[in-house]
């Protein structure tokens, strides 16, 4: 072959981008208005044997030009992949549906079996979806695996048309023995909102083969998110879920957390800028901790997550050996919280996986002092009412049991054991001792150790009666605490990181969105905690978190000088040994 011929062939290949059955005009910026403007392209398509992929993105195609290209595609039965994004720039919206109809009709006439259809960045609105409706319902798309419609402005109406088309496709393809097995769906920036998202959720639920779902920036709130969450549960092979920049709130986040429990193949979760808030973040953390063995990336950035919730999330990823990134930037963690978060990640040897915290919004501002005082007074009144109600309920229960008998109670002739609930409601050393040698077991039976917050509350109540100078009381406290926490930490359903977070909130060391009223800290709390951190049941990765908080100057611990110093020393020693 002559040198000039080789150069001409190389130039032709460079222009069209021929590769593995692919003909590409990608990014050439051609203005294709009529049949004459695509004569060369049409000939190249016609002459291309075994055409499997056609790239038209980055050009602008008019109706007549699309019809001419479509004519050339009518014989291309081997075509599988259509990369047709960004090909209507500068066109009237009314031009797009007929152009798409022509191209779609040609594919159906050819008997093509598509695996990839990419029409992203075409801004064709609901009418554009109508332009591909027949194609999506046809046998040409029974084999579709990737559908990319990012930034098309479909709106609610377009979302509903799309969903109906996919459902129709699945039913028809199933009837022929080869149900639609869509794997990748991309539809960000389409203003789908709740109704559009809910319609698509019905399609996803039916299809059940999704591996990637990308629907960022669609104005979806908790109702739509909940519908999507339910649908995702029916797609166990899901690997990537990107719902960035929608509005979950706690309701949506909790629903999505429930869905995550069913998705053991998930690798990337992008719920950034979704306003998951603290309780939503904790719910997601619980699901992450309990499952998701191959998780690689978790994005909960810009979600109004506070310090306590961020620490719970950090602890949740401790056993994720494939994790590559944890993004908690742009939340409300605060300067001290960011330091504690970094310490927690460092203690788990995962500090390099924590993304930047440079855009942290700082701790949420408190309400006005007067409002706080009013809230405190109301809480005090509520607590008194609750305490009175508890006492009344206990007395009623006792009277009822005495009058009716209880087949599980001790015989009436035997002395009645003191109520554990009485001790936990109004702790005192005398009440604890009167529970007798089985006090640890009695307390275990009374406390729901599957609830980390209730367990933390019970720990503090028992620890509040600790007396260093009274061995009998001291041993009773430590035995009871060991029994309770050993049972809790060895339970598969117990969330140890949530226990530590709740403990820090109750001690007044970090703030909670729920405005939990901290306890009045006494030395016994810290002395008992010093004992706990030395036990084998207590997770060593939580030691670093506790140390970070105990090193702060906090007024709530001022009255516990020696106990605080001893606890700090013990925490430092344990860390240095690990």
């Amino acid at each position: 072959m002559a040198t000039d011929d080789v150069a001409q062939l190389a130039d032709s290949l460079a222009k069209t981008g021929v590769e593995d059955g692919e003909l590409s005009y990608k990014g050439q910026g051609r203005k294709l208005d009529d049949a004459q403007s695509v004569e060369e392209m049409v000939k190249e398509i016609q002459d291309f044997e075994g055409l499997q992929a056609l790239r038209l993105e980055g050009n602008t195609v008019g109706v007549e030009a699309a019809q001419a290209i479509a004519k050339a595609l009518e014989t291309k039965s081997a075509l599988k992949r259509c990369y047709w994004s960004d090909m209507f720039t500068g066109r009237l919206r009314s031009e797009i549906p007929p152009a798409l109809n022509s191209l779609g009709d040609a594919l159906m006439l050819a008997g093509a079996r598509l695996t990839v259809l990419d029409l992203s960045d075409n801004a064709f609105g609901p009418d554009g979806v109508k332009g591909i409706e027949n194609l999506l319902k046809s046998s040409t798309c029974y084999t579709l695996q990737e559908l990319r419609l990012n930034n098309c402005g479909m709106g609610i109406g377009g979302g509903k048309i799309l969903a109906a088309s996919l459902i129709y496709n699945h039913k028809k393809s199933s009837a022929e023995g080869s149900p639609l097995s869509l794997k990748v769906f991309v539809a960000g920036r389409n203003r789908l909102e709740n109704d559009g998202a809910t319609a698509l959720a019905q399609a996803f639920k039916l299809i059940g083969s999704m591996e990637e779902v990308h629907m960022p920036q669609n104005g979806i709130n908790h109702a739509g998110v909940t519908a999507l969450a339910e649908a995702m549960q029916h797609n166990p092979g899901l690997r990537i879920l990107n719902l960035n920049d929608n509005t979950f709130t706690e309701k949506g986040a909790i629903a999505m957390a429930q869905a995550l429990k069913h998705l053991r193949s998930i690798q990337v979760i992008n719920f950034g800028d979704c306003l998951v808030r603290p309780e939503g973040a904790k719910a997601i953390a619980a699901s992450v901790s309990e499952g998701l063995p191959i998780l690689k990336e978790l994005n909960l950035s810009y979600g109004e997550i506070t310090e306590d919730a961020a620490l719970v999330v950090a602890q949740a990823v401790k056993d994720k050996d494939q994790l590559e990134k944890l993004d908690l930037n742009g939340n409300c963690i605060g300067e001290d919280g960011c330091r504690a978060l970094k310490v927690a990640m460092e203690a788990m040897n995962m500090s390099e996986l924590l993304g930047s915290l440079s855009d942290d919004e700082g701790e949420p501002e408190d309400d006005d002092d007067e409002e706080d005082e009013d809230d405190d007074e109301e809480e005090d009144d509520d607590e008194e009412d609750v305490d009175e109600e508890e006492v009344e309920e206990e007395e009623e229960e006792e009277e009822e049991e005495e009058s009716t008998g209880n087949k599980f109670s001790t015989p009436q002739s035997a002395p009645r054991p003191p109520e554990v609930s009485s001790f936990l409601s109004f702790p005192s050393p005398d009440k604890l001792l009167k529970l007798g040698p089985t006090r640890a077991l009695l307390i275990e039976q009374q406390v729901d150790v599957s609830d980390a917050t209730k367990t933390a509350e019970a720990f503090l109540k028992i620890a509040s009666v600790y007396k260093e100078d009274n061995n009998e009381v001291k041993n009773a406290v430590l035995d009871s605490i060991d029994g309770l926490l050993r049972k809790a930490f060895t339970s598969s359903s117990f969330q140890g990181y949530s226990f530590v977070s709740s403990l820090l909130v109750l001690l007044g060391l970090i703030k909670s969105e729920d405005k939990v009223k901290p306890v009045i800290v006494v030395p016994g709390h810290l002395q008992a905690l010093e004992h706990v951190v030395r036990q084998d049941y207590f997770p060593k990765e939580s030691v670093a978190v506790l140390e970070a908080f105990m090193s702060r100057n906090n007024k709530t611990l001022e009255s516990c000088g020696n106990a605080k110093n001893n606890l700090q020393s013990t925490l430092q020693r344990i860390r240095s040994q690990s």
Side-chain angles (χ1 to χ4, degrees), residues 481-492:
I481 285 174
D482 282 340
L484 176 69
L485 296 188
R486 189 179 299 278
K487 179 181 179 181
F489 280 106
T490 54
S491 170
S492 58

Side-chain angles (χ1 to χ4, degrees), residues 24 70 163 176 227 239 242 265 316 318 357 401 406 468 535 569:
S24 175
E176 294 191 12
R239 295 184 295 105
N242 175 9
S265 298
K318 66 178 180 180
L357 298 172
E401 288 178 3
N406 188 326
E468 183 65 35
Q535 306 310 305
S569 299

Side-chain angles (χ1 to χ4, degrees), residues 256-317:
M256 195 57 72
Q258 182 63 34
L260 290 175
K261 295 178 180 180
H262 301 267
L263 303 176
R264 293 186 60 79
S265 298
I266 200 90
Q267 296 178 12
V268 177
I269 299 172
N270 186 345
F271 297 159
D273 206 10
C274 284
L275 205 67
V276 298
R277 293 183 174 150
E279 292 309 310
K282 290 176 184 178
I284 292 168
S287 295
V288 169
S289 177
E290 293 168 11
L292 317 192
I294 57 174
L295 184 66
K296 292 183 177 179
E297 182 176 334
L298 176 59
N299 184 347
L300 295 177
S301 59
Y302 302 93
E304 291 190 0
I305 298 171
T306 51
E307 180 180 5
D308 61 321
L311 288 170
V312 170
V313 173
Q315 293 292 322
V317 302

Side-chain angles (χ1 to χ4, degrees), residues 46-171:
Q46 289 173 335
D47 293 344
F48 197 112
E49 295 293 331
L51 180 65
Q52 294 184 35
L54 178 61
R55 288 188 174 274
L56 296 175
E57 63 262 60
N59 300 286
T60 176
V61 182
V63 176
E64 289 185 22
Q67 290 170 342
I69 294 170
K71 189 69 177 176
L73 292 175
E74 289 179 356
T75 59
K76 300 302 174 181
S77 60
L79 189 62
K80 295 179 180 178
R81 303 184 301 279
C82 296
Y83 300 101
W84 296 348
S85 64
D86 188 23
M87 67 176 202
F88 296 113
T89 300
R91 300 291 170 183
L92 295 175
R93 182 169 286 188
S94 60
E95 294 182 77
I96 300 176
L100 290 173
N101 269 318
S102 297
L103 293 167
D105 289 346
L107 295 175
M108 290 186 283
L109 184 61
R113 291 291 185 269
L114 295 186
T115 57
V116 178
L117 179 59
D118 186 354
L119 289 166
S120 298
D121 301 315
N122 280 313
F124 46 51
D127 290 340
V129 184
K130 292 178 182 178
I132 58 171
E133 183 178 5
N134 290 335
L135 174 63
L136 290 173
K137 289 181 175 181
S138 73
S139 58
T140 294
C141 287
Y142 286 179
T143 51
L144 196 62
Q145 295 183 7
E146 296 184 19
L147 180 57
R148 300 177 182 271
L149 297 168
N150 201 58
N151 191 30
C152 288
M154 290 189 289
I156 295 173
K160 288 182 175 180
I161 295 169
L162 177 60
S165 300
L166 292 174
I167 291 172
Y168 182 92
N169 180 320
H170 186 269
K171 289 180 179 178

